[in-house]
Every structure is written in structure tokens, then in C-alpha cells.
Amino acid sequence: MQRFVTIRTCYKPLPVSDTEQQLYEVVAAEAAARQAPVYVVGGHVRDKLLQRDSKDIDFTVVGNGLALAEAVGQKLQTPVTVFKNFGTARLQYHDFAVEFVGARRESYRPASRKPEVQAGTLLDDLARRDFTINALAVSLNADDYGMLLDAFDGLGDLERRLLRTPLEPELTFSDDPLRMLRAVRFAAQLDFAVVPEARMAMRQHAERLRIVSIERITDELNKMLMTDRPSIAFDLMFKTDLLREVLPELVLLYGVEHVEGKGHKDNFYHTLQVLDQVAKRSDDLWLRWAALLHDIAKYDTKRFEKGKGWTFHGHEVVGARKVETIFRRLHLPLQEPMKRVQKLVLLHLRPIALSKEEVTDSAIRRLLFEAGDDLEALMTLCESDITSKNEKKVKKYLENFRLVRSKLIEVEERDRIRNWQPPISGEVIMRTFAKPPGREIGIIKEAIREAILEGRIRNTYDDAYAFMLEKAAELGWHPVTKN
Ligand code: ATP
Ligand code: MG
């Protein structure tokens, strides 16, 4: 049911750069010439009021948005890209991404996010927006130029730091379920609360996320991960059942089980804490994904062993495999990024093992070799993985990692392992024994690499060559060329 609303207006001086001013003047003049009222709407107005930087400017035109965009593009001598299907047009003006759209009214069918669209009034247009704070408009028209139009008390919600839908939340969310994830993302990005009735509607409509394309979902997940405190987003998704739809594996980490009076930690909230700690230390999206997924297989590997308590043996190995399943499902990039996340999940316990007193140089070399360029990210993950409430313990663990770091630096300076390639390549092996590529070549190559990492032979061509002859002899191979 639609509430009756009146547009409240107020004048709020907002800082506008020279570039923006020039743009507004051209847009206002062209709109006036066409007698098509035009407004700055949505995120840009919100961000200005919140004093956040914003490089997107959206204009809503009561009339033909595409025609206005073309006229503005001509005046500013910039090309305009028209998206006919969406009825929107875009242009770039200095560093602003500018979008024009005609004011519209929408009606939705239950099975799709794609609405039927008709021309509408400004109020129709604002009412179909996701949140009141995104439904503010600034007039660029002669009779009320610069006036802020606030039909749904978006200003009040900005002050109260609340996310509220302009219409009934059930309607807003069932029309376009992506809005539920936008609510979560804004909650984390702006540190706003979602009003209780909207939270209830989210829980009720969580399953409707299934009609949203995976790319849109993943896009929001990435934005959530890039906020200062991503835990806000994942906790809210958990509490509104959205997480069950997008990352059910994480939901399984929630809870504490007790056997013989012994409990383990809640791995869901532990994960969120690690994620926030990583977010404080690094802006690397893939490292943040690794933090989110580092313990993902603790549910699968959990066992209670008599006399030992709770164990999660192999969770790093199973976890690395699960990373691939999740990346595939979410259409995240499977090449470099996924490989990095897998590597970080797989290795996330290794620096702990290295923090023990009697660690050998070969163990250090092995980690340098396996982590390669991701060593710094791995150390950041490990340092963030400390979530004890006992400050003394935290201090001690961090100190241990400082020692690991200095050992890593020391061995790296001496042995140069990080971007190291063993001195004997597959080609040399094939040439020496006149053999085609095959499994045996890999076996010999790996044996050479292992022997060097273990410190059994020196990292030189001659030592590696001699070792290669030995290994090949075990296979009954004899060299056909001389070194
Ligand atoms: P950001 O640019 O940080 O993602 P934004 O609020 O500007 O945030 P945009 O995707 O740029 O988001 O959209 C601009 C405006 O369009 C929003 O402020 C909102 O008014 C409206 N909007 C965007 N997506 C939706 C949606 N799915 N449902 C309703 N309104 C939306
Ligand atoms: Mg925007």
C-alpha cells in the first residue's frame, strides 16, 4: 500500500566543485530549453550530505532523458553512450561518470527483476528507489534551483543513520531482491543500521535472491569485503538468512559444540574478526577473500578426539579445495585471484609451525618457495588470525611472528628462494636423456627441487646435474649428451 507523501523541500548549501558547477549549468540550460525538469538524485546527493567523495552523478529527467543526454553531450563535446534497453545514457565529464534517465514508474512480475517501465513523475521515480537516503533529489530548475526535495524523510534517516525503504519493505525487496544485499552493503559502508521492519522483510524474502544474477550478487559481496568493517555485512547477512543463500558454507561455521565439557571456538565469529583485522591491515580484495574462507572447512574436518579435544586436521587442504567450488559458483575469477586465495588458505597454518623454537632452515626455505610473492599477504593473514581475548597471549603470538619474519628475511637474503627456479629445467632433463615430456621428467625435476630446499645438495647447476644423473639412473636412464 502506498503511503501518501508530500515532497518536503529545504535549502541545504552543499559544496560543489567548479567542474560540477559547469556541468549543472549546461544540464539546467538544456533541460529548460526542452521544458523537461531535471534533478540530481540518489547516491551523489547522499554522499554529499555525508561528506563522502562521489564521482557518479545521476540525473533524473521528467521527460526524455536520452534526448537531454544527447544535447548535453553536444554542448560539452563528449560522446554519449546510450543504453536503449534501460532507457539510460552515460557520458564522462572530467572525472565524473554522469548518467541520465527519464523519471519512471515500474511494475514488477514475481519471477524476474526486470520491471515493466512507464514514464512517471519525479515522485514515482523516487518511490521506486531502494532507500530513503538514496531517494533525495536536488532541483536544477529555474523556480526552485538548488532546493533539496525529500519525499521520504531521507534527511531524517541520514541523521539517525538508518536504512529504510521508501515504500513497504516487502514490496521494495520482493520487486528487486538485490536491494537486500545493497542494504547490507550500505550498512557496512556507511555504518548505518537497517530498520527492524526492513530486517524482517529481508529474512522473509531471503530466498528471492535466487532470481538475482550471480554477477550482481558477487559485485555486492566484493563491495562488502572492501568496507572498513566487513564483519558488519556478514553478520547482518547471517542474521537475516541472506548468507544461507550466498555463502551457506560460512553459516555452517556458526556455533559451539561441547563434548565432555569441552567446547571449541565459534568459527563463524572468529572468521569475521579475522576478516576485520585483515581489513585494517590491507586493501587487497583477494587477501580479504582468503580471510573470509581461511577456516571454511572447519565444519567438514571437525572431530572430538579423546584426550586431545577438538581437532580440525587438514582443514587447510580441504578448505583450499572448497575455495574453487565457491569461486566457480560465484563466477569469481578462476585464474590468478583464485590461485592466490587457495594458496593463502592452504598455507595459513605454516607460519605458526615456523614460530616454534627449533625450526630448520629447510622449513623456512620451503615456505619462501611455496608462498613466493604472496608471503607478505600470508604473514598479514596469520597475524590477523590471532583472536585471543588474552592480551598477553596476543602479544606473545605477534612477537613470535616477528621472529618468523626475521628468519624469513635472513634465509631469503642468503638463499634467494622467493622467486627461485631450480637450476635444472625440464628441457635440460629431456635433452640429456633424449626423452619426450612425461611423468618421469616431472618426478626428476621435483626431486632436484626437494633436495635443494632440504639442503641435501647445493643450489648450483653442477650439484643439481649430478643429482639428476643419480635420479635418472634409478629409472634406468642414461645420458645421451654430455653436460
Ligand atoms: P554506489 O555508487 O556507492 O554503489 P549508489 O547509491 O550511488 O551507491 P548506484 O548503483 O550508483 O548506487 O545507483 C544510483 C542510485 O540509483 C541509488 O542511489 C538509488 O537511488 C538508485 N538505485 C540503484 N540501484 C537500485 C536498485 N537496485 N533499486 C532501487 N534503486 C536503486
Ligand atoms: Mg553511485
Side-chain angles (χ1 to χ4, degrees):
M1 193 179 54
Q2 182 153 349
R3 280 182 278 165
F4 286 97
V5 284
T6 46
I7 292 200
R8 233 180 6 160
T9 60
C10 71
Y11 185 73
K12 244 185 145 51
L14 292 171
V16 172
S17 67
D18 290 348
T19 318
E20 252 177 288
Q21 188 59 42
Q22 285 155 15
L23 174 68
Y24 293 156
E25 276 166 22
V26 173
V27 172
E30 292 301 322
R34 282 166 181 72
Q35 294 179 322
V38 66
Y39 303 85
V40 186
V41 289
H44 192 68
V45 180
R46 174 201 70 216
D47 286 342
K48 273 235 144 66
L49 288 160
L50 289 172
Q51 296 172 345
R52 295 174 90 240
D53 191 38
S54 161
K55 293 284 178 259
D56 305 2
I57 306 183
D58 296 306
F59 292 106
T60 293
V61 187
V62 186
N64 190 337
L66 303 187
L68 179 61
E70 299 282 10
V72 171
Q74 255 182 11
K75 263 267 140 52
L76 299 175
Q77 301 188 324
T78 26
V80 176
T81 317
V82 175
F83 301 87
K84 263 229 150 75
N85 294 349
F86 296 96
T88 61
R90 266 189 222 151
L91 59 85
Q92 186 73 27
Y93 187 60
H94 296 272
D95 47 351
F96 290 104
V98 182
E99 190 165 313
F100 292 84
V101 59
R104 45 187 156 175
R105 211 147 50 100
E106 294 180 344
S107 51
Y108 288 83
R109 282 153 294 156
S112 153
R113 279 189 67 221
K114 306 219 167 39
E116 279 171 28
V117 183
Q118 291 152 304
T121 63
L122 176 68
L123 190 57
D124 290 330
D125 191 278
L126 296 178
R128 54 161 273 275
R129 289 177 182 264
D130 49 3
F131 304 105
T132 60
I133 62 166
N134 289 345
L136 293 160
V138 174
S139 164
L140 294 184
N141 310 301
D143 46 355
D144 57 356
Y145 191 95
M147 200 69 91
L148 184 73
L149 311 175
D150 181 9
F152 302 97
D153 196 22
L155 273 181
D157 287 336
L158 270 182
E159 267 155 33
R160 292 182 290 266
R161 308 180 78 77
L162 288 178
L163 289 156
R164 178 197 311 278
T165 55
L167 306 179
E168 304 296 333
E170 286 78 13
L171 181 69
T172 300
F173 292 149
S174 86
D175 278 352
D176 178 2
L178 181 71
R179 292 167 181 163
M180 299 187 281
L181 291 185
R182 285 176 52 93
V184 170
R185 188 246 300 184
F186 287 125
Q189 217 168 37
L190 307 174
D191 195 12
F192 273 36
V194 178
V195 296
E197 57 272 29
R199 287 169 67 118
M200 261 163 57
M202 284 157 81
R203 196 168 307 126
Q204 204 179 322
H205 291 290
E207 285 188 10
R208 277 189 59 76
L209 271 186
R210 294 173 197 174
I211 67 162
V212 179
S213 81
I214 197 70
E215 284 77 10
R216 310 286 297 246
I217 292 178
T218 302
D219 197 35
E220 289 299 332
L221 290 177
N222 284 338
K223 286 182 180 168
M224 292 174 201
L225 282 170
M226 289 314 288
T227 61
D228 290 346
R229 274 176 61 205
S231 66
I232 297 178
F234 288 90
D235 190 28
L236 181 56
M237 281 199 287
F238 175 66
K239 288 177 173 149
T240 51
D241 291 346
L242 295 169
L243 196 59
R244 207 183 48 203
E245 297 300 320
V246 297
L247 275 169
E249 296 87 347
L250 269 179
V251 177
L252 296 175
L253 297 185
Y254 171 77
V256 180
E257 207 177 319
H258 290 269
V259 173
E260 295 174 3
K262 276 196 186 165
H264 55 78
K265 67 182 157 202
D266 180 320
N267 287 306
F268 177 67
Y269 283 108
H270 163 72
T271 293
L272 296 198
Q273 206 183 332
V274 176
L275 178 58
D276 278 357
Q277 295 189 157
V278 161
K280 274 203 197 112
R281 294 175 161 103
S282 161
D283 281 340
D284 176 348
L285 174 64
W286 305 112
L287 174 54
R288 291 177 183 207
W289 269 106
L292 186 67
L293 301 180
H294 78 286
D295 277 346
I296 199 69
K298 276 204 166 168
Y299 174 80
D300 313 64
T301 55
K302 178 164 89 171
R303 278 179 56 202
F304 187 83
E305 291 180 39
K306 278 219 172 301
K308 262 193 172 171
W310 292 101
T311 62
F312 304 89
H313 291 309
H315 75 272
E316 72 285 13
V317 180
V318 183
R321 276 204 298 271
K322 276 187 138 56
V323 168
E324 177 162 0
T325 315
I326 292 170
F327 267 53
R328 279 190 188 282
R329 193 179 68 224
L330 294 177
H331 293 194
L332 283 161
L334 297 178
Q335 291 306 309
E336 263 317 284
M338 185 189 79
K339 300 250 156 66
R340 280 192 66 214
V341 175
Q342 283 190 305
K343 191 201 265 187
L344 291 169
V345 172
L346 183 66
L347 298 179
H348 83 270
L349 300 173
R350 293 277 288 279
I352 301 172
L354 296 190
S355 66
K356 308 278 181 307
E357 282 288 316
E358 65 289 356
V359 58
T360 59
D361 279 7
S362 72
I364 299 267
R365 274 198 295 271
R366 190 166 293 281
L367 184 65
L368 282 166
F369 179 72
E370 287 176 39
D373 284 337
D374 296 314
L375 188 64
E376 185 52 40
L378 180 66
M379 292 309 295
T380 304
L381 177 58
C382 290
E383 283 155 357
S384 306
D385 199 5
I386 306 170
T387 57
S388 165
K389 285 193 192 72
N390 180 337
E391 280 190 25
K392 267 199 189 146
K393 271 194 186 168
V394 174
K395 255 187 98 173
K396 197 183 96 200
Y397 294 155
L398 283 175
E399 179 54 30
N400 287 348
F401 282 134
R402 260 193 294 280
L403 291 176
V404 172
R405 275 178 185 275
S406 58
K407 278 188 218 163
L408 285 162
I409 291 171
E410 190 190 308
V411 174
E412 171 62 14
E413 274 177 2
R414 197 184 61 213
D415 297 352
R416 298 279 165 217
I417 293 292
R418 256 172 100 161
N419 289 307
W420 170 75
Q421 287 298 325
I424 298 271
S425 67
E427 285 83 64
V428 173
I429 304 172
M430 289 187 278
R431 211 177 334 115
T432 310
F433 302 99
K435 296 284 182 190
R439 213 170 56 88
E440 288 90 348
I441 306 296
I443 294 174
I444 297 175
K445 219 174 108 177
E446 201 177 300
I448 298 171
R449 191 190 72 206
E450 290 300 297
I452 295 173
L453 287 173
E454 290 293 336
R456 279 187 274 124
I457 60 172
R458 283 178 311 146
N459 180 20
T460 63
Y461 186 87
D462 288 348
D463 272 27
Y465 193 88
F467 186 78
M468 169 188 75
L469 294 180
E470 242 174 69
K471 273 282 137 188
E474 287 171 19
L475 297 170
W477 287 10
H478 300 288
V480 296
T481 59
K482 275 252 174 301
N483 175 21

